[in-house]
Amino acid sequence: MSGDKLHEECGVFGIFCDDTETDAASLAYYGLLSLQHRGQESAGIAVVKDKTIECRKDMGLVGEVFNDEALLHLKGHAAVGHVRYSTAGSSTIDNAQPFVSRFKLGSIAVAHNGTLTNADVVRELLEDAGIGFTSSSDSEVIVNLIAKNYKKGLEKALTDTIKFIKGSYALVVLTDEALVGARDPNGIRPLCLGKLGNGWILTSESCAIDAIGGEFVRDVEPGELIIINRDQVFSFIFSEKTPRAVCSFEYVYFARPDSVIDAVDVYGARVRAGEILGRESAVEADLVIGVPDSGIPAAIGYGKATNTPFGLGIVKSKYVGRTFIAPHQKQRERAVSVKHNVIKSEIQGKRVVIIDDSIVRGTTSRHLVSILKKAGAKEVHIRVCSPPVRFPCYFGIDTPHRKDLISNGNSVSELCKSLGADSLAFVSVEGLLESLDGKGGYCLGCFTGEYPIPAAGDTESNHPK
Ligand code: SF4
């Protein structure tokens, strides 16, 4: 994996309706709106009608890319959609998804969440075979590989492609006749199946199924491929049995709290992480607050476990993007200042515990300690419901250079001093696992440096906050 490669955190959505009346694009639009937290740089929807795939995609939020008129031009009974975040260098329309390929035997559209660890090798092979690329995205490797194998029939083309690619993927693929979903053999990125009337949904998070009034059916298993067409829904496991390694950061921060991933509800996991944090590192305080939004469930848990009163304390402007995914340091610092403000009357003269989901660069934490103290907090204690992030992610999450990960090379006490806090503690790795289901089966790579599958080398230039 080269340092210049894309590292994405994305959301995928697919829907297949059994009648020609249902407007799949509108349903995909609402599905994508509820996945907006997974990527805010580009959005796209592809639909199939009369064996033709039409696609619209552009830079911007879902609501900016699609207005009523745009949706009117996307009529069809099945659709796939995508929201994408990318690093600064690759933030171009060329890399927006879904990718569509039209060839002699048919058309396909692919939407992908994840990162392939062997994309360079596969791209080179395809280029040597005369296949051209229009983007730098590894997701285009998948669409070209499926197109190349299509003469073998859809099922064989998909299994051949999927057996060839390595890394993390939650894929939804639209063909002239079917909607297909696939999840990588370790299930690193989430994918679930839902039902709407007689139609079917495949999507990154269950909140998107709820958003369109559907019913959650089940998670797609690691290494499972599901094909949905007019006649049937069938699935099979395409990989050899490998250990499940769902991204633990999904529960810490990425996913919406109203989603359930692999039978663990995200909100419940966050509350439990806070309770465990309280058990592991309680401090005498008058008030516990959470950094909105993802720190709030954990603050409720911490308060319960330690008998500390829970309050709001910090207000967040909902209309500023996540600092985690603002591409430049200056943008991030400005976004942090605009984003959070303190409710002075709640804070003044109190010993405050502030709970955050994670600390990556430290920009947000430093700012929050400073504004809480300025607002009259007597003491500010930071508690974090994930372990220190010390290593990059190779599986679809954009992390900063390792040197910019504030926990890399700094002890907890050095870090506490640098953030200006009165005390600092992180939940342990064991505590994080306990907050999930306590059984394991999670990727913890960015906390421990131990990855579920080999990464193609740490280039020091990779990748989150
Ligand atoms: S390395 Fe971290 S962010 Fe990446 S998949 Fe694993 S747990 Fe998730």
Side-chain angles (χ1 to χ4, degrees):
M1 181 184 289
S2 105
D4 301 319
K5 300 254 337 202
L6 308 180
H7 304 288
E8 308 164 357
E9 205 240 306
C10 306
V12 299
F13 184 89
I15 183 155
F16 191 96
C17 307
D18 75 328
D19 59 83
T20 45
E21 301 311 306
T22 311
D23 179 3
S26 293
L27 292 168
Y29 169 80
Y30 289 111
L32 289 183
L33 276 181
S34 65
L35 296 175
Q36 188 76 82
H37 59 287
R38 298 185 71 86
Q40 291 114 45
E41 290 202 7
S42 69
I45 297 174
V47 293
V48 65
K49 188 179 187 190
D50 302 332
K51 297 202 174 271
T52 307
I53 291 182
E54 295 293 338
C55 179
R56 181 185 166 87
K57 54 185 179 177
D58 210 338
M59 305 306 289
L61 300 171
V62 178
E64 292 164 350
V65 174
F66 297 99
N67 54 22
D68 289 350
E69 208 196 317
L71 288 170
L72 268 181
H73 290 107
L74 283 176
K75 290 288 173 213
H77 69 279
V80 291
H82 191 265
V83 285
R84 177 172 193 269
Y85 159 69
S86 70
T87 50
S90 57
S91 177
T92 69
I93 181 69
D94 290 343
N95 288 326
Q97 296 193 39
F99 282 109
V100 178
S101 179
R102 297 181 179 90
F103 45 99
K104 227 164 58 194
L105 297 173
S107 315
I108 52 170
V110 171
H112 168 218
N113 172 210
T115 293
L116 304 188
T117 52
N118 66 340
D120 287 352
V121 177
V122 184
R123 177 182 281 262
E124 217 175 296
L125 285 172
L126 289 168
E127 281 173 346
D128 286 351
I131 292 169
F133 284 80
T134 57
S135 76
S136 57
S137 166
D138 53 356
S139 310
E140 197 184 3
V141 165
I142 301 172
V143 81
N144 283 345
L145 209 49
I146 299 173
K148 181 172 178 287
N149 290 323
Y150 210 75
K151 56 181 173 300
K152 302 175 185 169
L154 173 64
E155 200 179 314
K156 183 87 174 85
L158 286 165
T159 36
D160 281 4
T161 296
I162 277 164
K163 281 182 176 162
F164 208 62
I165 58 177
K166 300 203 179 338
S168 64
Y169 50 88
L171 280 178
V172 288
V173 180
L174 184 66
T175 75
D176 305 349
E177 289 172 355
L179 172 68
V180 180
R183 191 170 177 197
D184 70 71
N186 298 94
I188 296 174
R189 304 260 71 91
L191 188 66
C192 59
L193 177 71
K195 216 165 179 327
L196 181 73
N198 292 323
W200 293 90
I201 305 156
L202 284 162
T203 184
S204 297
E205 285 185 43
S206 60
C207 67
I209 299 173
D210 299 336
I212 60 164
E215 188 190 319
F216 175 82
V217 175
R218 64 176 175 86
D219 293 288
V220 176
E221 290 297 315
E224 184 181 14
L225 196 131
I226 299 185
I227 301 180
I228 300 161
N229 59 32
R230 285 208 186 282
D231 304 322
Q232 58 180 336
V233 176
F234 68 104
S235 88
F236 54 92
I237 299 292
F238 60 82
S239 68
E240 283 170 21
K241 198 154 179 49
T242 43
R244 184 188 293 262
V246 192
C247 169
S248 55
F249 227 108
E250 290 282 351
Y251 301 93
V252 168
Y253 176 68
F254 300 139
R256 255 176 50 164
D258 49 338
S259 286
V260 178
I261 298 173
D262 285 352
V264 175
D265 99 276
V266 174
Y267 177 80
R270 289 180 188 167
V271 174
R272 280 194 296 280
E275 288 169 354
I276 293 162
L277 200 48
R279 204 176 69 207
E280 289 182 342
S281 56
V283 61
E284 283 285 319
D286 308 306
L287 179 73
V288 56
I289 61 175
V291 180
D293 299 319
S294 34
I296 288 179
I300 295 172
Y302 180 95
K304 231 166 52 180
T306 58
N307 277 327
T308 311
F310 164 77
L312 280 182
I314 290 175
V315 173
K316 177 185 164 187
S317 166
K318 299 226 182 306
Y319 308 103
V320 181
R322 283 183 168 196
T323 51
F324 178 85
I325 49 186
H328 301 296
Q329 182 66 16
K330 273 235 163 330
Q331 283 175 322
R332 272 192 299 274
E333 281 169 11
R334 213 168 293 133
V336 163
S337 309
V338 177
K339 199 164 159 181
H340 294 115
N341 202 11
V342 176
I343 303 173
K344 283 203 189 92
S345 56
E346 180 76 347
I347 299 298
Q348 233 158 17
K350 288 186 182 157
R351 297 168 298 170
V352 178
V353 179
I354 179 164
I355 313 276
D356 205 350
D357 56 78
S358 57
I359 296 184
V360 179
R361 283 192 166 93
T363 319
T364 307
S365 315
R366 196 172 289 118
H367 175 71
L368 291 176
V369 172
S370 132
I371 58 173
L372 285 167
K373 291 220 160 164
K374 216 163 131 198
K378 217 155 60 182
E379 293 168 16
V380 178
H381 303 273
I382 306 178
R383 294 293 177 272
V384 188
C385 41
S386 61
V389 177
R390 295 200 171 102
F391 302 92
C393 172
Y394 298 99
F395 310 119
I397 305 306
D398 184 36
T399 36
H401 293 200
R402 199 188 276 190
K403 65 176 171 39
D404 294 330
L405 292 171
I406 198 165
S407 293
N408 177 48
N410 282 318
S411 67
V412 173
S413 59
E414 283 165 341
L415 193 51
C416 178
K417 204 165 154 204
S418 124
L419 300 177
D422 292 281
S423 76
L424 168 69
F426 294 83
V427 80
S428 62
V429 169
E430 296 72 28
L432 174 63
L433 284 175
E434 189 188 333
S435 74
L436 304 175
D437 56 9
K439 285 197 260 183
Y442 298 94
C443 175
L444 297 161
C446 50
F447 307 120
T448 61
E450 287 166 26
Y451 299 99
I453 44 174
D458 179 359
T459 61
E460 269 300 305
S461 53
N462 302 330
H463 345 272
K465 231 168 216 183

